[in-house]
């Protein structure tokens, strides 16, 4: 297996606080990788370092065999990263199809646009809502639309920060199916997630952060069997 993304001894300090410290994250090409950990563990900070919102205090980020540590976010997008941040940012007044159109227009030949919009609408199960303003969709549907917009870039690596936040259990499950479908078409996915039911549904490999450091890593089966991981989630003290 080859690595699509690697961070090496990555660190980010805010004032005196090591939000992310000495993190070696490794995402394999083709996998669904979940980044988990208790609140305040440093997940969102690590995510922002990877996509380039923050510059690291220390360390490196290698994406598709290139050091992208000094690259701006848009350059990383050009290299094949696509990002869905935590809060949906669809154009609420515009029809669902128009939202996809805007996302696609600079990436798809104009004669192929309508067909690509149809393909995404079907994938997102939004075909029946194509003409409605995006703002009338349910919270879950808006999140799916935004995932669709992120897909318009045909990313090699799709990065999602808590894609199921605020979703019903049914919407959460459907989001898991959608991510698995995308992954089946060859998109590598890195998901920051707190909901362990969802992680169990989709994860192939998992990295656990705790106090900014890698606490555990392994297959989903290994992580679920790890007593220490359970303890940090339940907030119980553990022995070293
Ligand atoms: P998580 O996403 O795992 O909940 P975060 O990455 O948001 O954790 O936060 C990790 C730590 O860094 C927390 O202690 C948080 O208060 C701190 N932190 C996050 N962002 C900032 C910031 N912009 N300025 C100062 N401290 C921050
Ligand atoms: Mg967070």
């Amino acid at each position: 297996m080859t690595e699509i993304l690697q961070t090496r001894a990555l660190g980010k300090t805010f004032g005196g606080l090591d939000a992310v410290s000495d993190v070696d994250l490794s995402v394999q090409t083709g996998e669904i990788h979940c980044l988990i950990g208790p609140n305040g563990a440093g997940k969102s900070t690590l995510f922002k370092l990877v996509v380039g919102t923050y510059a690291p205090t220390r360390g490196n980020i290698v994406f598709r065999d290139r050091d992208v540590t000094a690259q701006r976010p848009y350059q990383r997008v050009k290299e094949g990263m696509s990002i869905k941040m935590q809060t949906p940012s669809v154009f609420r007044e515009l029809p669902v199809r128009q939202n996809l159109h805007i996302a696609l227009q600079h990436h798809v030949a104009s004669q192929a646009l309508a067909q690509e919009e149809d393909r995404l609408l079907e994938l997102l199960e939004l075909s029946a809502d194509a003409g409605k303003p995006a703002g009338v969709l349910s919270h879950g549907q808006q999140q799916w639309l935004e995932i669709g917009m992120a897909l318009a870039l045909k990313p090699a690596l799709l990065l999602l920060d808590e894609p199921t936040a605020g979703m019903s259990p049914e919407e959460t499950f459907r989001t898991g199916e959608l991510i698995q479908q995308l992954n089946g078409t060859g998109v590598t996915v890195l998901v920051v997630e707190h909901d362990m039911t969802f992680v169990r549904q989709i994860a192939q490999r998992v990295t656990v952060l705790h106090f900014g450091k890698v606490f555990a890593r392994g297959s989903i089966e290994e992580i679920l069997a790890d007593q220490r991981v359970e303890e940090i989630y339940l907030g119980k003290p553990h022995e070293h």
Side-chain angles (χ1 to χ4, degrees):
M1 273 232 138
T2 57
E3 284 174 324
I4 190 166
L5 175 75
Q6 260 182 303
T7 71
R8 294 176 183 154
L10 199 65
K12 179 68 177 174
T13 305
F14 293 115
L17 174 83
D18 288 326
V20 167
S21 175
D22 202 25
V23 167
D24 294 335
L25 172 72
S26 159
V27 178
Q28 310 286 320
T29 304
E31 74 172 339
I32 301 176
H33 195 110
C34 288
L35 182 63
I36 70 171
N39 273 330
K43 304 181 296 295
S44 292
T45 303
L46 178 55
F47 188 89
K48 287 172 186 166
L49 290 169
V50 168
V51 304
T53 311
Y54 293 153
T57 311
R58 280 175 292 278
N60 293 82
I61 302 161
V62 176
F63 179 56
R64 302 178 105 179
D65 298 325
R66 276 181 199 239
D67 191 319
V68 299
T69 316
Q71 283 190 355
R72 310 288 304 151
Y74 77 89
Q75 294 173 304
R76 301 182 199 200
V77 170
K78 267 196 202 156
E79 302 274 350
M81 285 189 196
S82 190
I83 303 141
K84 191 207 156 307
M85 299 307 274
Q86 217 162 335
T87 34
S89 59
V90 298
F91 301 102
R92 299 176 59 86
E93 332 72 55
L94 297 180
V96 170
R97 179 185 286 278
Q98 187 67 22
N99 270 270
L100 291 171
H101 185 93
I102 289 167
L104 286 164
Q105 60 191 351
H106 300 301
H107 306 281
V108 175
S110 52
Q111 63 272 24
L113 265 172
Q115 197 187 339
E116 187 60 11
E117 288 160 25
D118 287 338
R119 188 185 74 81
L120 285 173
L121 286 167
E122 208 166 303
L123 180 73
L124 304 169
E125 295 182 352
L126 290 174
S127 303
D129 304 299
K132 293 182 190 165
V136 308
L137 298 179
S138 73
H139 172 73
Q141 287 174 317
Q142 289 187 32
Q143 298 276 29
W144 300 333
L145 176 56
E146 214 191 344
I147 291 174
M149 293 168 75
L151 284 176
L153 303 170
K154 296 230 183 299
L157 176 64
L158 178 65
L159 299 121
L160 308 166
D161 192 2
E162 299 208 16
T164 71
M167 284 189 184
S168 68
E170 294 74 23
E171 288 175 331
T172 298
F173 183 74
R174 170 62 195 137
T175 304
E177 289 183 329
L178 177 61
I179 289 172
Q180 287 177 315
Q181 253 173 305
L182 302 178
N183 178 249
T185 69
V187 182
T188 307
V189 188
L190 175 61
V191 190
V192 170
E193 188 53 66
H194 197 74
D195 176 351
M196 277 307 289
T197 309
F198 182 67
V199 170
R200 209 176 280 135
Q201 183 192 349
I202 65 167
Q204 293 162 9
R205 290 199 318 137
V206 176
T207 298
V208 185
L209 282 190
H210 191 34
F211 294 126
K213 288 194 156 68
V214 175
F215 182 78
R217 68 173 103 237
S219 68
I220 180 65
E221 293 80 13
E222 287 165 340
I223 294 301
L224 289 174
D226 189 336
Q227 190 79 36
R228 294 157 59 246
V229 172
E230 198 180 328
E231 282 164 3
I232 64 167
Y233 261 85
L234 296 173
K236 281 194 278 178
H238 57 83
E239 286 164 21
H240 292 275

